[in-house]
Amino acid sequence: MSSKFIKIDKKINYFNKIIKVDGDKSLSIRWALLASQAIGNSKAFNLLKSEDTINTLKCLKKLGIKIKLSKKFCQIEGRGINGFLFKKNLILNSGNSGTLGRLLLPLLIKSPYKIKIVGDKSLSKRDFSRVIKPLKNMGVNFYPQNKKNLPIFIKGSKYLRPIKYIENRGSAQCKSCVMLAALNIPGETSITAKKSRNHTELLFKNLKIPMKIIKKKKYDFIKIIKPKSINSFNLKIPGDISSSAFFIVLTLLTKNSKLLIKNININPSRLGVIKILNKMGAKIKLFNIKKINNEKCADIFVKSVKNLKGINCPSNLNSSAIDEFLIIFLVAAKAKGISYFKNLSELNQKESPRLKIGSKILNMIGVKVISNKNSIKIYGNPNLKLNKNYVIKNFLKDHRVFMMSVISALSLGGTWKIYNPESVKTSFPSFLKIISKLGAKIN
Ligand code: S3P
């Protein structure tokens, strides 16, 4: 186990800056996977160059896809739907990425050979039965039978059938898995999906894949007919709102500070963090709103706020803020009054059990918390100031636990030893560079 750590023993001074964050992870992985199924050369600009996307490219290369990665763009030479060069004894490594693991499987459902899918320690603990079940219903084979997590073997079938799938968790990964499988399934696949991020739908629309969507308040009804082929396509990838969230909160909690974050994807299905923080008293504003490849983008402006207040967070915002709750909990700890977040059991299914770890960290810094498997009540304290020693270790190298801890240290004080700084490489390699740019001192 790596024993690397960083030390922070000084709060950050006020700042007034303009920053950019790395490209959106969900879009980067989806572009690469879909480009591999298109015919000919597709290019992505501002692709996130993190371990999760690099692992995506490595898996595609092993499947016979040619890829050029330069400073300016990434080019993928797609081989068409089901054009992979399947070989015997293939092992594909998803590393830390649930999105890669769960979105790659549906592209392998015609493999004539068994393919082994592996992941790191964190990913190997996570539930894959949620995607194995619908794929099995389509006729795909998995070995060992009834295994729910990685490593696992997948073997395709010649006799795949369309299914009617109900997605009840609000999981975009499950929905997208079935959508991608539909590219290989004869006839019409239908999905009833609880609301979740809709990047796959928007990309399908760009690619003119035959699809109908009926949107209702809580669910979307999606029907997809297998396309004959997909044309190659280029994508400009905006910055990731999940990465921006850490800097939004650092600014909110640092006196007299202002921050402009340029060109961020503000897809409404990802905007929960802004809605929740604004309900808590933040005044986050969006400027320069435009659409690029059907995805809404904007510059985000945020300044520090004195009077943050607690929130009884409506559960219908959960899916649109699912990766931001750790950092939202930190704001709740500094807000006046009690905050309540419910129906959040999915948070324990992430890179680490985040509901559990989030409440542990708040507890450690002296914030009263009542939590169970599904919800958390945070008793906020606007006068929260820290002056003790804090160690953050053994969190399954969850990148978002690391980043939340750094923001806690820089905004609340105390002396912090935070392990596994390399964890940020999975989603946000520039994180510590930007932290330094804002003036923070880190050893
Ligand atoms: C993602 C969906 C979410 C999110 C993950 C990325 C995606 O997971 O937590 O970081 O790109 O589809 P779930 O779909 O499992 O909620």
Side-chain angles (χ1 to χ4, degrees):
M1 189 174 153
S2 160
S3 58
K4 262 187 156 179
F5 60 83
I6 61 163
K7 229 177 153 182
I8 301 177
D9 54 12
K10 212 168 170 284
K11 276 176 42 170
I12 191 166
N13 279 331
Y14 70 91
F15 53 84
N16 182 353
K17 296 266 186 209
I18 300 174
I19 61 165
K20 273 188 180 169
V21 300
D22 296 342
D24 185 89
K25 181 151 72 90
S26 293
L27 279 174
S28 295
I29 294 175
R30 281 165 172 77
W31 170 80
L33 295 177
L34 274 167
S36 76
Q37 304 299 301
I39 296 173
N41 286 331
S42 297
K43 269 187 190 173
F45 300 88
N46 197 38
L47 187 85
L48 169 66
K49 290 192 187 84
S50 76
E51 279 174 3
D52 286 5
T53 37
I54 300 299
N55 281 329
T56 308
L57 301 182
K58 279 186 184 164
C59 289
L60 292 175
K61 274 187 183 168
K62 278 196 167 178
L63 289 159
I65 300 295
K66 288 192 182 132
I67 298 173
K68 271 190 217 156
L69 185 59
S70 70
K71 248 196 166 170
K72 282 204 173 147
F73 61 84
C74 176
Q75 180 175 293
I76 291 187
E77 195 181 322
R79 296 176 52 91
I81 294 172
N82 196 38
F84 286 152
L85 297 174
F86 293 115
K87 282 188 236 157
K88 280 186 182 163
N89 303 319
L90 262 184
I91 301 177
L92 301 177
N93 189 350
S94 297
N96 186 251
S97 175
T99 308
L100 170 57
R102 292 171 181 145
L103 270 57
L104 183 61
L105 289 176
L107 302 185
L108 308 175
I109 60 180
K110 285 201 160 179
S111 168
Y113 309 114
K114 276 188 187 173
I115 299 175
K116 189 178 187 183
I117 312 291
V118 300
D120 73 359
K121 189 174 162 190
S122 150
L123 190 62
S124 303
K125 285 181 193 280
R126 295 175 69 184
D127 172 45
F128 267 67
S129 66
R130 57 181 60 195
V131 285
I132 290 173
K133 264 187 206 155
L135 293 175
K136 264 190 174 171
N137 284 340
M138 295 169 183
V140 183
N141 306 292
F142 287 92
Y143 310 94
Q145 303 274 347
N146 302 325
K147 191 155 187 251
K148 290 186 171 160
N149 42 20
L150 304 185
I152 194 156
F153 290 87
I154 178 172
K155 184 171 177 283
S157 164
K158 284 184 193 158
Y159 309 104
L160 297 168
R161 50 189 174 265
I163 61 166
K164 289 188 165 61
Y165 171 63
I166 298 176
E167 198 296 303
N168 260 326
R169 290 185 172 88
S171 161
Q173 291 179 357
C174 294
K175 173 178 68 180
S176 301
C177 170
V178 175
M179 289 181 73
L180 289 169
L183 300 179
N184 264 315
I185 303 273
E188 183 181 270
T189 299
S190 41
I191 304 169
T192 302
K194 200 168 164 185
K195 296 277 179 192
S196 63
R197 65 187 70 188
N198 67 346
H199 304 301
T200 312
E201 291 92 314
L202 295 180
L203 284 169
F204 273 32
K205 199 174 152 195
N206 286 347
L207 295 173
K208 301 193 169 60
I209 293 168
M211 175 183 64
K212 258 193 199 155
I213 303 179
I214 300 173
K215 291 186 180 175
K216 290 275 160 71
K217 207 170 168 209
K218 287 191 176 163
Y219 283 83
D220 289 338
F221 300 95
I222 307 170
K223 287 194 166 152
I224 300 165
I225 294 174
K226 180 180 166 25
K228 285 199 180 78
S229 61
I230 303 175
N231 290 334
S232 59
F233 64 111
N234 296 343
L235 199 67
K236 284 184 189 157
I237 298 178
D240 197 322
I241 194 161
S242 300
S243 299
S244 312
F246 295 96
F247 293 104
I248 292 174
V249 169
L250 182 64
T251 312
L252 282 178
L253 300 183
T254 304
K255 265 189 199 163
N256 302 322
S257 296
K258 285 181 186 170
L259 190 67
L260 183 68
I261 315 175
K262 300 284 283 179
N263 193 33
I264 299 302
N265 178 234
I266 55 149
N267 179 320
S269 65
R270 300 282 297 278
L271 268 191
V273 61
I274 308 274
K275 289 183 189 155
I276 293 169
L277 294 177
N278 279 348
K279 276 178 194 282
M280 297 178 83
K283 292 185 183 75
I284 303 161
K285 294 204 169 85
L286 305 174
F287 294 104
N288 275 332
I289 299 178
K290 53 187 173 241
K291 260 194 184 173
I292 304 176
N293 301 118
N294 272 323
E295 288 280 358
K296 257 175 136 184
C297 307
D299 299 340
I300 300 179
F301 178 73
V302 54
K303 56 183 181 181
S304 35
V305 171
K306 278 188 198 130
N307 306 314
L308 290 161
K309 51 182 194 285
I311 183 172
N312 182 359
C313 186
S315 310
N316 64 359
L317 293 177
N318 284 358
S319 168
S320 62
I322 194 67
D323 290 338
E324 287 70 70
F325 276 106
L326 280 175
I327 200 71
I328 292 171
F329 293 165
L330 184 66
V331 178
K334 241 328 220 169
K336 192 176 173 193
I338 301 171
S339 290
Y340 184 44
F341 303 90
K342 53 193 178 292
N343 300 328
L344 266 183
S345 57
E346 270 298 298
L347 214 50
N348 280 332
Q349 304 294 327
K350 298 297 171 191
E351 286 84 328
S352 71
R354 287 187 185 149
L355 193 53
K356 230 166 132 182
I357 291 194
S359 40
K360 244 188 177 172
I361 294 176
L362 294 189
N363 234 313
M364 184 184 78
I365 61 174
V367 177
K368 183 177 166 188
V369 166
I370 300 177
S371 69
N372 57 33
K373 282 183 180 163
N374 203 25
S375 70
I376 182 167
K377 226 179 218 178
I378 300 168
Y379 292 72
N381 172 9
N383 299 318
L384 185 66
K385 283 191 187 83
L386 306 182
N387 49 23
K388 294 190 185 141
N389 293 325
Y390 307 95
V391 179
I392 306 287
K393 209 177 176 178
N394 300 333
F395 51 88
L396 281 164
K397 302 182 186 174
D398 181 344
H399 49 134
R400 296 205 166 99
V401 171
F402 175 85
M403 293 189 275
M404 177 233 192
S405 307
V406 170
I407 302 301
S408 308
L410 292 174
S411 55
L412 301 176
T415 300
W416 293 64
K417 204 169 162 182
I418 310 169
Y419 279 78
N420 303 116
E422 75 284 3
S423 58
V424 298
K425 286 188 200 155
T426 63
S427 70
F428 193 3
S430 312
F431 175 73
L432 287 172
K433 223 194 261 168
I434 299 173
I435 288 280
S436 301
K437 185 180 163 183
L438 296 181
K441 301 269 176 299
I442 291 181
N443 302 314

